[in-house]
Amino acid sequence: MTTADLKVLLQDAIVATIDGGKEILDVYVNEFDVEYKEDNSPLTIADKRAHNAIMKTLEKTGVPVLSEEGRSIAFEERSKWPLLWVVDPLDGTKEFIKRNGEFTVNIALVKNGAPIMGVIYVPVEDTLYFGADGFGSRRLTEAAAKISKNTLEDTLNASDALPEKQKRVFTMVGSRSHMSDETAQYFEGIRKEYPDAEVMSRGSSLKICMVAEGSADVYPRFAPTMEWDTAAGHAIAKYAGFEVVRPDDNLPLEYNKEDLLNPWFIVKKG
């Protein structure tokens, strides 16, 4: 894939995340019903509307899509895809239902099992994170208005390179809704080296974004996640100079596996 090809797909992914975010916000500001899937995880009309909006753009690219809202595609078919989109139309549905603003739209481009592009949009904050091979990772504020008017070059020029240097104590970030005992133990181990270390809690893929932007130093995830929860953030972290690796062998997460469940992982400095 050429840089020009990747540039076109990056622009498509950015537009799709913004469009998905607009649909989510339209639901967020009104009353909405909550359904529950077979695994007892919540689902709202916002998930469905964001999925449909995103698909309108991504289907035009000719690249197949693996989405949380379309997870039933057989591995026999997916295994033939060297290149695919991995999409979570609404990451952090629990946070959406709580109305705390900590939810995102995630779109990643995966090539041969590795993420080569990631775009994450935070609708309530109107902040866009994106990273891609050859472009590094960047953050754009007040994104919706800027994206609707600008080309990718303008977006790149208006955005800030990640990570940013910040003066702070060693900071760990954990899940707001899924903190495990193993994660708590990991944090205690860190405090032996950094007694003043702080722990911050966030929902959705915002945790990976915090490491990528320089707001946190490490994010351990010792609880279940799916590929669409992490693929976009993985790319953004990677191209900001961080790694998303399994704690047992320090190897990076892989995508488009037969089992779409992720192993445990840690986001940290590469």
Side-chain angles (χ1 to χ4, degrees):
M1 178 180 295
T2 67
T3 300
D5 293 334
L6 195 60
K7 184 180 291 188
V8 170
L9 293 175
L10 178 56
Q11 177 69 4
D12 288 336
I14 288 173
V15 169
T17 58
I18 298 294
D19 288 346
K22 289 177 179 177
E23 294 295 326
I24 291 169
L25 284 180
D26 189 52
V27 176
Y28 190 66
V29 297
N30 296 293
E31 294 298 320
F32 53 84
D33 295 325
V34 180
E35 304 173 21
Y36 289 89
K37 293 177 276 190
E38 290 184 2
D39 62 359
N40 208 35
S41 58
L43 177 70
T44 71
I45 189 63
D47 297 76
K48 299 173 183 178
R49 285 178 55 174
H51 171 80
N52 292 337
I54 289 166
M55 290 301 292
K56 285 182 180 179
T57 295
L58 296 190
E59 284 178 340
K60 297 175 184 177
T61 68
V63 177
V65 178
L66 173 63
S67 170
E68 181 177 14
E69 304 311 319
R71 64 170 76 189
S72 59
I73 301 169
F75 178 67
E76 183 179 2
E77 179 181 352
R78 290 191 289 106
S79 64
K80 300 173 184 175
W81 298 348
L83 187 71
L84 70 151
W85 296 109
V86 178
V87 176
D88 193 343
L90 175 49
D91 182 25
T93 302
K94 289 183 178 180
E95 316 309 327
F96 176 85
I97 294 168
K98 294 174 185 176
R99 297 183 185 272
N100 65 16
E102 296 180 4
F103 51 86
T104 60
V105 181
N106 304 343
I107 298 179
L109 187 66
V110 169
K111 182 178 180 181
N112 297 324
I116 61 171
M117 176 203 300
V119 181
I120 292 176
Y121 181 53
V122 191
V124 169
E125 296 180 4
D126 194 19
T127 299
L128 183 80
Y129 296 87
F130 61 97
D133 189 13
F135 294 90
S137 292
R138 310 188 69 84
R139 181 186 59 213
L140 179 68
T141 58
E142 300 178 351
K146 296 174 183 176
I147 295 303
S148 64
K149 300 174 182 177
N150 295 347
T151 65
L152 180 60
E153 285 73 16
D154 293 329
T155 299
L156 291 168
N157 291 334
S159 58
D160 299 313
L162 302 179
E164 295 177 331
K165 291 185 178 180
Q166 300 185 20
K167 290 184 178 181
R168 53 172 175 72
V169 298
F170 192 94
T171 303
M172 307 171 283
V173 61
S175 173
R176 186 173 297 284
S177 298
H178 302 278
M179 183 70 73
S180 67
D181 292 340
E182 291 85 355
T183 304
Q185 292 171 9
Y186 180 86
F187 287 161
E188 288 305 311
I190 291 288
R191 283 202 173 93
K192 293 178 181 178
E193 184 176 357
Y194 300 96
D196 297 329
E198 293 183 353
V199 175
M200 301 182 71
S201 297
R202 291 290 185 276
S204 69
S205 59
L206 283 169
K207 297 179 287 295
I208 303 181
C209 292
M210 288 183 64
V211 178
E213 72 182 2
S215 298
D217 295 283
V218 64
Y219 162 41
R221 180 64 180 218
F222 302 153
T225 58
M226 303 300 291
E227 290 188 7
W228 42 77
D229 296 321
T230 60
H234 188 156
I236 294 167
K238 178 168 67 171
Y239 296 115
F242 299 90
E243 57 186 13
V244 182
V245 295
R246 302 188 303 237
D248 54 347
D249 56 16
N250 215 42
L251 292 176
L253 295 189
E254 297 176 348
Y255 295 88
N256 199 25
K257 308 184 306 297
E258 182 170 6
D259 182 356
L260 295 169
L261 183 69
N262 285 325
W264 289 0
F265 63 88
I266 300 174
V267 185
K268 61 182 181 177
K269 188 66 178 177

